[in-house]
Amino acid sequence: MFDFIISKYNYWIYIVLMMIGFYGMIGKKNLIKKVIGMNIFQTAIILFFISTAAKRGGTLPIIEHGHGHEMQAIEAASYVNPLPHVLMLTAIVVMVSTLGVALAIVIAIYKRYNTLEEEEILKHKI
Amino acid sequence: MRILALIAVIITGAILIYGTQDMPDWADPQSPASTHVSPRYIEKTLEETATPNAVTSVLADYRGYDTLGETTVIFTAGVCCILILRIRRRHRK
Amino acid sequence: MSLQSPALAVVIPLICAFLTLLFGWWRKGLCYPTTLVALSLSTLASLDTLRVVITTGTIRYHLGNWDPPWGIEYVVDHLNAFVLAIISCITFVVAVYSKKSVEQELPDKIIFFYTIYLLLVTGLLGIIVTGDMFNLYVFLEIASLAAYALIAIGENGAPLASFRYLIMGTIGACFYLLGVGYLYIATGSLNMADLSQLLPGIYHSKVIIVAFIFFLVGIGLKMALFPLHAWLPDAYTYAPSTVSALIAPTMTKVGAYVMIRIFFTVFKPYFSVELIPVTTILSWIAAFAMIAGSIFAIAQSDLKRMLSYSVVAQIGYIALGIGLANRAGLTGAVLHILNEVFTKGCLFSVAGAIVYKMGIRDIYQFRHLYRKMPFTMGAFVMGAFSMIGIPPTLGFFSKLYLILGSIDARQWVFVAVILISSILNVIYFFKVVETAYFEPRDLATKKEKEILKVYPHNGGGREEIAMDEVPLSMLIPILIMGAGILLLGIFSIKIISTVIQFAIPSGI
């Protein structure tokens, strides 16, 4: 049981973090709080992916003695998995872009209604 | 509404945690993610792409098309912001 | 040329998006022609892809020449090629239509509008052709970001509607990404073909089941499946007319395609049909969507909002076809995607044309519209017939196959639901047709007479309403879509025998 917790607890931390963000997205009424929730959610997903790359005893995926040396047999197990890092580099950019567009839309809303509370905006509309 | 959101969040979290039970242990070198596709990136990076940094070689070469998509996303976001926020200043004098 | 055509279909709009921006700074008038050239070339490439797929079978295109599980590949089979062809065709036709409407509604945003238009098309086509889970996510975000921005520049309520769409869409995309992450942890692969080889060995793993649930909810949000549809009506109603005509036929239908791909290619039918009863649940959700969407649509008096709820109902039909998971049902689903793309494109274009000419959207003000805009209303009636399912329009055949699928599955409830939903369709489309065609002309109020330019000098006190059609650049695309609904319906047997019957995933 204790081993089970030790071997899984990092996933649980990220899931808790994700759920905090998720609650912010669907539970909060303020638009900026929703955006912050979105950011937390996405960052937690990044952490989750990165944690899958880890290998016990692995180091950075940069091959030592790269150029100018004799080609040596490279042991994959001694370097961490590079693929999740690459995926998350792409995902970070995607998420930053989403954040940018979200904030642009929030600015457009603020210009029109002078408030960021969803309920007040809805009152405005009717 | 808050209660509903809370219930949705708890259910989602519970499903996610339920799924972790069958996951390989954290940092296990024998997990499928570490043994199926990724070893080639580390072992062949020097031979195939002449780049010692495996992350760079995957980013710019093996999965370079994703990176093209990534730059497109940034471009899209930039143009989107201009599209949303640009106001005509003709009426102001 | 034909070897490269799947990649060209995606890359041409992408490159031309940059060019549109550059040309636009130099001369504003060049944006529209550049867009048309880009989309026509992209459509040609898609049709060429379809031709190659029909003659030689599945295309595998290795980007950067890296072998599949390591690099990214495009896999184009009959299903892909078919959806690719119809989506690129409709985006081209809507682009032709867009000129006058954009000049009227968004005069100072033409350059950026067309840039984003092309990027949206890039994203949609990229989603369709790719054979890689993560690549799909990247292109999904390109398409979604473009859609959020295009909706946000609409009328008064648009920014808030767009913001809600953004929140819901981001939750959908994040759930999809989480699903990809879970699959990656369990298998170590991102390639769809590779995953479908690896997954059967570990179908009982809890990781896989959770991944599947997250795919279902994430894509359900993106395609506005019934309880998750709340963002859709506002977004489609407040968006500019052209944007509604572009996004309503394409976005949700591409979501439906992704759902078919994940249910029956990445996961084998054995998993999604037998192991966990998800297709049964999906077909019941779909049945609720069909009834509820239609009932909401009846309650609306705004034409665009009515059509938006109709989108929710029609997504139910497609989801029902997926949920039935037999040959006839899936044939119906794929045929209904084709039907939805053309019909919703036509109907939203007509709504945009009416807004362009008259500035009204309330269907109770549509009196005598058929005299003023006979061709536009003719196309509308054609679209309405197809939504209802009157032969020989396309909608009749897709509903026929869905009914056959329900009978095959011995689900008599769904047969009844399809029929009831069709009757509800009759009610809300007839409301429009009745006002536009049959309303006694004496009832027109004074104000409406002014709007309608009534000429009281003709023949014994009878009023003559002058014909005042939309410009040809709007009318021709509308008529093409209207005629397309009829012709595709007549040739639907041929379409099924050449393409769709091979598009049904193996194992069903």
Side-chain angles (χ1 to χ4, degrees):
Chain A
M1 183 64 200
F2 189 67
D3 280 351
F4 180 70
I5 293 172
I6 285 291
S7 62
K8 299 285 192 301
Y9 76 98
N10 67 312
Y11 297 129
W12 298 347
I13 292 171
Y14 304 136
I15 287 168
V16 169
L17 205 52
M18 272 177 221
M19 288 309 111
I20 293 171
F22 188 36
Y23 178 75
M25 282 174 98
I26 59 174
K28 292 289 176 189
K29 291 284 175 207
N30 186 301
L31 301 188
I32 288 291
K33 284 183 184 168
K34 276 178 190 272
V35 173
I36 292 171
M38 184 174 95
N39 216 357
I40 296 173
F41 193 1
Q42 293 177 328
T43 311
I45 292 178
I46 292 174
L47 289 171
F48 178 80
F49 263 85
I50 293 296
S51 80
T52 65
K55 279 182 208 168
R56 199 166 287 107
T59 177
L60 301 177
I62 299 172
I63 312 301
E64 291 169 65
H65 320 296
H67 294 293
H69 284 75
E70 299 271 311
M71 216 42 112
Q72 297 170 348
I74 299 161
E75 189 82 13
S78 57
Y79 298 97
V80 299
N81 184 353
L83 188 54
H85 294 98
V86 175
L87 299 182
M88 285 310 107
L89 278 170
T90 308
I92 288 170
V93 172
V94 169
M95 289 159 186
V96 166
S97 308
T98 316
L99 184 68
V101 174
L103 289 175
I105 294 173
V106 169
I107 292 172
I109 292 173
Y110 188 76
K111 271 183 188 159
R112 221 168 271 206
Y113 302 106
N114 262 329
T115 176
L116 288 176
E117 295 295 329
E118 206 176 3
E119 282 161 355
E120 288 179 30
I121 295 171
L122 289 178
K123 249 183 260 166
H124 238 270
K125 274 170 74 178
I126 302 162
Chain B
M1 191 60 207
R2 291 245 158 127
I3 303 293
L4 236 91
L6 204 60
I7 293 169
V9 166
I10 289 169
I11 291 173
T12 315
I15 294 173
L16 280 173
I17 288 177
Y18 171 78
T20 58
Q21 286 177 49
D22 282 355
M23 276 188 188
D25 292 351
W26 183 69
D28 179 10
Q30 296 308 314
S31 68
S34 313
T35 51
H36 178 53
V37 169
S38 63
R40 170 165 167 176
Y41 295 137
I42 297 164
E43 285 160 9
K44 299 283 179 75
T45 175
L46 274 178
E47 191 183 319
E48 289 180 345
T49 66
T51 314
N53 188 337
V55 175
T56 311
S57 71
V58 179
L59 185 79
D61 207 338
Y62 291 99
R63 296 184 67 88
Y65 193 65
D66 267 352
T67 311
L68 176 70
E70 169 193 325
T71 44
T72 313
V73 169
I74 275 282
F75 176 63
T76 312
V79 183
C80 283
C81 291
I82 302 174
L83 182 72
I84 295 167
L85 296 178
R86 211 170 100 108
I87 325 161
R88 191 167 35 173
R89 296 185 192 277
R90 213 165 52 192
H91 300 299
R92 201 183 295 166
K93 219 173 183 189
Chain C
M1 167 71 192
S2 11
L3 265 176
Q4 313 289 338
S5 52
L8 282 177
V10 180
V11 172
I12 289 172
L14 174 58
I15 293 170
C16 288
F18 290 93
L19 292 181
T20 309
L21 197 61
L22 285 179
F23 290 171
W25 266 323
W26 179 42
R27 202 158 290 172
K28 219 175 186 179
L30 281 174
C31 292
Y32 178 67
T34 317
T35 310
L36 285 195
V37 169
L39 290 174
S40 55
L41 288 177
S42 167
T43 309
L44 282 180
S46 316
L47 291 174
D48 189 54
T49 312
L50 183 62
R51 184 186 61 80
V52 173
V53 169
I54 290 172
T55 47
T56 61
T58 307
I59 303 175
R60 290 177 178 276
Y61 185 90
H62 299 175
L63 289 150
N65 207 16
W66 293 110
D67 292 337
W70 294 279
I72 295 167
E73 69 167 341
Y74 276 174
V75 183
V76 188
D77 58 10
H78 285 80
L79 179 62
N80 276 15
F82 182 65
V83 179
L84 183 73
I86 58 178
I87 296 285
S88 56
C89 280
I90 203 76
T91 50
F92 173 62
V93 174
V94 174
V96 176
Y97 160 89
S98 70
K99 184 166 193 281
K100 294 283 175 189
S101 178
V102 173
E103 279 172 4
Q104 191 195 42
E105 288 181 27
L106 310 161
D108 50 339
K109 293 185 172 174
I110 292 176
I111 307 167
F112 305 108
F113 175 85
Y114 281 114
T115 310
I116 296 286
Y117 191 116
L118 286 174
L119 287 169
L120 177 64
V121 176
T122 309
L124 291 171
L125 300 185
I127 294 171
I128 296 165
V129 286
T130 192
D132 190 276
M133 299 297 273
F134 192 78
N135 196 241
L136 198 155
Y137 168 75
V138 174
F139 278 89
L140 184 73
E141 283 293 302
I142 295 175
S144 307
L145 286 179
Y148 307 146
L150 285 178
I151 288 170
I153 54 172
E155 59 191 76
N156 229 343
L160 187 65
S162 167
F163 185 81
R164 284 185 173 166
Y165 180 21
L166 186 143
I167 292 291
M168 287 298 153
T170 308
I171 292 175
C174 284
F175 277 19
Y176 177 84
L177 188 59
L178 266 175
V180 174
Y182 271 52
L183 283 192
Y184 182 71
I185 286 181
T187 62
S189 179
L190 292 165
N191 184 282
M192 288 184 190
D194 195 31
L195 278 172
S196 71
Q197 301 280 318
L198 288 169
L199 282 175
I202 45 172
Y203 269 161
H204 291 277
S205 164
K206 286 164 189 153
V207 188
I208 301 302
I209 293 168
V210 171
F212 192 84
I213 293 169
F214 275 79
F215 282 133
L216 176 66
V217 178
I219 299 162
L221 269 165
K222 282 282 179 195
M223 70 185 261
L225 198 57
F226 167 59
L228 309 169
H229 72 280
W231 56 268
L232 187 141
D234 271 356
Y236 287 8
T237 310
Y238 296 128
S241 317
T242 315
V243 176
S244 306
L246 170 66
I247 293 179
T250 50
M251 282 297 275
T252 48
K253 264 52 82 179
V254 171
Y257 156 75
V258 175
M259 187 171 260
I260 298 178
R261 182 58 73 201
I262 287 179
F263 271 37
F264 302 122
T265 306
V266 177
F267 293 88
K268 292 287 174 208
Y270 166 71
F271 180 80
S272 36
V273 180
E274 288 167 34
L275 211 59
I276 55 172
V278 79
T279 47
T280 318
I281 300 168
L282 185 69
S283 39
W284 281 101
I285 294 173
F288 279 111
M290 286 153 68
I291 299 290
S294 303
I295 289 173
F296 283 130
I298 290 174
Q300 307 304 324
S301 63
D302 181 329
L303 180 62
K304 270 168 92 179
R305 190 174 283 272
M306 185 192 98
L307 292 175
S308 309
Y309 278 108
S310 170
V311 171
V312 177
Q314 303 300 321
I315 282 296
Y317 282 89
I318 299 171
L320 176 66
I322 301 170
L324 289 170
N326 52 29
R327 282 199 80 85
L330 268 169
T331 309
V334 177
L335 203 58
H336 207 78
I337 291 179
L338 174 66
N339 174 31
E340 256 289 274
V341 165
F342 272 86
T343 315
K344 276 286 149 24
C346 177
L347 292 174
F348 272 99
S349 302
V350 170
I354 295 170
V355 170
Y356 175 80
K357 204 71 210 174
M358 319 271 291
I360 49 172
R361 286 209 318 243
D362 189 339
I363 55 182
Y364 295 109
Q365 294 179 358
F366 282 7
R367 290 198 181 91
H368 308 303
L369 211 54
Y370 80 102
R371 283 171 174 269
K372 214 166 150 54
M373 306 164 81
F375 297 112
T376 313
M377 289 314 286
F380 183 88
V381 171
M382 190 57 71
F385 278 4
S386 187
M387 283 284 110
I388 296 162
I390 293 172
T393 53
L394 201 46
F396 169 73
F397 293 98
S398 58
K399 285 189 185 179
L400 183 70
Y401 275 97
L402 287 175
I403 291 176
L404 288 177
S406 312
I407 293 171
D408 273 1
R410 304 254 169 269
Q411 295 281 8
W412 305 105
V413 184
F414 296 144
V415 179
V417 166
I418 292 171
L419 293 176
I420 292 170
S421 172
S422 298
I423 291 167
L424 295 173
N425 281 353
V426 173
I427 295 174
Y428 62 79
F429 279 113
F430 188 70
K431 206 164 65 170
V432 182
V433 172
E434 186 195 23
T435 329
Y437 280 80
F438 304 121
E439 195 81 2
R441 60 180 59 184
D442 303 336
L443 287 179
T445 60
K446 199 177 174 187
K447 193 181 164 216
E448 280 156 9
K449 277 183 184 166
E450 280 165 18
I451 297 173
L452 292 169
K453 283 191 197 156
V454 176
Y455 292 96
H457 52 72
N458 201 345
R462 283 183 65 94
E463 297 155 353
E464 185 72 24
I465 297 167
M467 193 176 106
D468 188 14
E469 265 291 359
V470 288
L472 278 181
S473 73
M474 289 174 97
L475 188 60
I476 290 172
I478 291 175
L479 290 180
I480 288 174
M481 285 187 268
I485 296 165
L486 190 66
L487 289 176
L488 290 171
I490 293 168
F491 292 110
S492 60
I493 304 296
K494 181 111 178 82
I495 295 172
I496 290 170
S497 64
T498 45
V499 190
I500 297 179
Q501 64 160 328
F502 303 107
I504 308 300
S506 57
I508 287 182

